[in-house]
């Protein structure tokens, strides 16, 4: 297998993915496996939507369905840096993180040590993007262990988290990934040289309605489609209770991967991000200076924050990718 290609004649973007599956994480992994423009070179599994062991088993199950067990799994964090655990949300993601699905016991997934992260960074350098769609503990630990100079040799970082001047999803002001480990989110957003943050401002708009899922699974083109329907339906039932009148489910983590191949679907502003670390209503709350004349900040303190989305581009791409056959790996 050549490293640089996936599918016939397509040079795919290499991704090291940090995640905590979780339904939208799982759909993001499926999206990446089906997308000829994305090559997963490793997956770091961490606590977040479920515990770290369950997250690993869920990823191993998805890779097994795709016959892609060659993608390395790396053991990430089991809890937040502060030691202050926040709850899981089984009503949204299911007890085991895949809604009503329980992955087969026999599939557990073999974990490599955390230093594999640094080996992958060394191997791929600026051909690599790091994507984090979970609590940012593992990535913060990577920054602390290796230092920002080493981590920033990659091409860039795509981070799902935060809510800027819009309501949160776990508290009135905080989004789940930042809330789960605000200290880690602060380290990561302050350390990345070339980082883009995808907050609820855009991910809450990445709504996939149930009829789109029905249309996708009717094509019967890939091995994920029965699973896709079951986990989506579970997630949608939860969202209907959380957001009365909602027409579908927001796929936060899928949107963050979509951004890699379609950055033109977003409008960004460059700002320094502040994240509340106190254990009160400000925990995990993210703010940035959106005044007409913001306070000047050195460029190295700023990250790009996606604030607007071209929804139609996302919807069309989602349908195209999720109805694809698994790419042939050369
Ligand atoms: O706030 C959305 C994020 O939190 C997503 O990454 C989702 O998986 C949830 O845990
Ligand atoms: Ca997630």
């Amino acid at each position: 297998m050549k490293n640089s290609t996936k599918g016939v004649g397509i040079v795919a973007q290499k991704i090291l993915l940090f995640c905590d599956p979780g339904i939208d994480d799982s759909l993001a992994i499926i999206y990446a496996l089906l997308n000829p423009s994305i090559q997963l070179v490793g997956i770091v599994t961490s606590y977040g939507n479920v515990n770290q062991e369950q997250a690993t088993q869920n990823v191993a199950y998805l890779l097994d369905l795709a016959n892609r067990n060659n993608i390395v799994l790396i053991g990430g964090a089991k809890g937040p840096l502060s030691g202050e655990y926040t709850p899981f949300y089984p009503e949204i993601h299911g007890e085991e993180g895949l809604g009503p699905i329980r992955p087969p016991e026999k599939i557990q997934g073999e974990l490599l040590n955390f230093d594999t992260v640094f080996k992958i960074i060394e191997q791929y350098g600026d051909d690599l993007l790091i994507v984090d769609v979970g609590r940012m503990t593992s990535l913060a630990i990577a920054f602390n262990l290796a230092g920002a100079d080493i981590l920033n040799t990659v091409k860039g970082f795509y981070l799902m988290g935060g809510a800027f001047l819009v309501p949160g999803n776990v508290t009135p002001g905080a989004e789940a990934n930042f809330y789960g480990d605000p200290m880690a989110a602060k380290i990561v957003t302050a350390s990345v040289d070339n980082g883009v943050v995808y907050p609820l401002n855009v991910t809450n708009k990445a709504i996939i309605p149930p009829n789109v899922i029905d249309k996708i699974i009717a094509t019967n083109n890939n091995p994920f489609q029965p699973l896709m329907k079951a986990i989506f339906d579970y997630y949608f039932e939860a969202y209907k209770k959380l957001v009365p009148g909602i027409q579908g489910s927001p796929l936060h983590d899928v949107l963050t991967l979509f951004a890699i191949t379609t950055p033109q679907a977003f409008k960004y502003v460059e700002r320094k991000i502040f994240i509340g670390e106190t254990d009160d209503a400000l925990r995990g709350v993210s703010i940035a200076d959106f005044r007409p004349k913001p306070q000047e900040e050195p460029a190295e303190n700023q990250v790009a924050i996606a604030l607007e989305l071209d929804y139609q581009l996302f919807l069309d791409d989602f349908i195209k990718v999720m109805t694809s056959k698994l790419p042939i790996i050369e």
Side-chain angles (χ1 to χ4, degrees):
M1 188 176 77
K2 287 184 212 156
N3 271 334
S4 60
T5 58
K6 174 177 172 178
V8 180
I10 294 176
V11 176
Q13 175 59 58
K14 294 175 179 58
I15 306 285
L16 175 60
L17 179 69
F18 289 64
C19 61
D20 59 336
I23 289 180
D24 60 329
D25 300 74
S26 298
L27 290 167
I29 291 168
I30 292 170
Y31 173 90
L33 290 169
L34 290 173
N35 194 331
S37 301
I38 292 177
Q39 183 191 350
L40 289 172
V41 298
I43 302 181
V44 182
T45 58
S46 305
Y47 82 98
N49 291 319
V50 288
N51 65 40
Q52 191 258 350
E53 292 81 0
Q54 187 65 56
T56 304
Q57 200 190 352
N58 293 349
V59 176
Y61 175 50
L62 297 173
L63 296 184
D64 194 68
L65 284 176
N67 201 19
R68 293 300 312 279
N69 313 70
N70 61 321
I71 297 173
V72 297
L73 298 184
I74 300 158
K78 297 192 172 188
L81 294 178
S82 66
E84 291 162 13
Y85 286 76
T86 53
F88 299 140
Y89 303 99
E91 64 281 12
I92 300 176
H93 294 279
E95 288 295 336
E96 278 92 20
L98 292 176
I101 308 264
R102 175 169 291 184
E105 275 302 316
K106 64 178 170 47
I107 300 175
Q108 291 295 332
E110 190 193 331
L111 280 180
L112 300 184
N113 282 337
F114 195 70
D115 70 345
T116 310
V117 167
F118 309 122
K119 291 180 183 154
I120 287 176
I121 290 172
E122 191 179 0
Q123 181 179 354
Y124 295 111
D126 63 4
D127 280 340
L128 183 71
L129 282 178
I130 290 183
V131 179
D132 196 331
V133 293
R135 311 327 182 224
M136 286 169 201
T137 319
S138 305
L139 189 50
I141 290 170
F143 270 99
N144 279 351
L145 285 174
D149 287 351
I150 300 287
L151 267 285
N152 281 318
T153 56
V154 305
K155 188 174 176 183
F157 296 83
Y158 284 61
L159 310 167
M160 192 281 128
F164 294 86
L165 305 178
V166 297
N169 58 1
V170 284
T171 71
E175 179 280 330
N177 287 340
F178 279 16
Y179 182 79
D181 192 340
M183 197 184 283
K186 189 172 170 182
I187 290 171
V188 170
T189 54
S191 305
V192 291
D193 273 354
N194 190 10
V196 191
V197 171
Y198 295 86
L200 295 182
N201 305 61
V202 284
T203 67
N204 267 343
K205 294 181 184 148
I207 296 275
I208 296 298
N211 68 313
V212 167
I213 295 294
D214 290 341
K215 204 166 123 185
I216 289 170
I217 64 158
T219 64
N220 206 16
N221 271 347
N222 61 62
F224 297 116
Q225 290 174 336
L227 170 91
M228 228 188 265
K229 167 84 177 148
I231 64 177
F232 178 87
D233 284 352
Y234 189 97
Y235 193 61
F236 184 40
E237 284 308 310
Y239 263 99
K240 279 195 283 191
K241 290 184 192 128
L242 289 169
V243 187
I246 198 166
Q247 298 298 307
S249 305
L251 300 188
H252 310 279
D253 298 346
V254 178
L255 187 77
T256 307
L257 280 171
F258 158 76
I260 291 165
T261 57
T262 322
Q264 71 276 17
F266 299 86
K267 284 194 180 147
Y268 304 90
V269 296
E270 304 262 341
R271 292 289 186 276
K272 177 175 179 169
I273 294 180
F274 299 87
I275 300 170
E277 283 186 76
T278 48
D279 203 16
D280 56 19
L282 292 180
R283 179 189 168 109
V285 171
S286 47
I287 59 167
D289 191 347
F290 297 123
R291 293 175 295 178
K293 282 190 76 177
Q295 184 175 316
E296 281 187 22
E297 286 287 347
E300 64 265 25
N301 291 352
Q302 303 187 13
V303 292
I305 307 170
L307 290 179
E308 285 180 45
L309 166 69
D310 182 332
Y311 174 72
Q312 196 59 45
L313 284 182
F314 172 64
L315 180 64
D316 293 347
D317 175 80
F318 182 79
I319 295 171
K320 185 172 158 218
V321 172
M322 295 309 234
T323 53
S324 301
K325 295 184 187 307
L326 274 168
I328 298 159
I329 307 299
E330 292 176 342

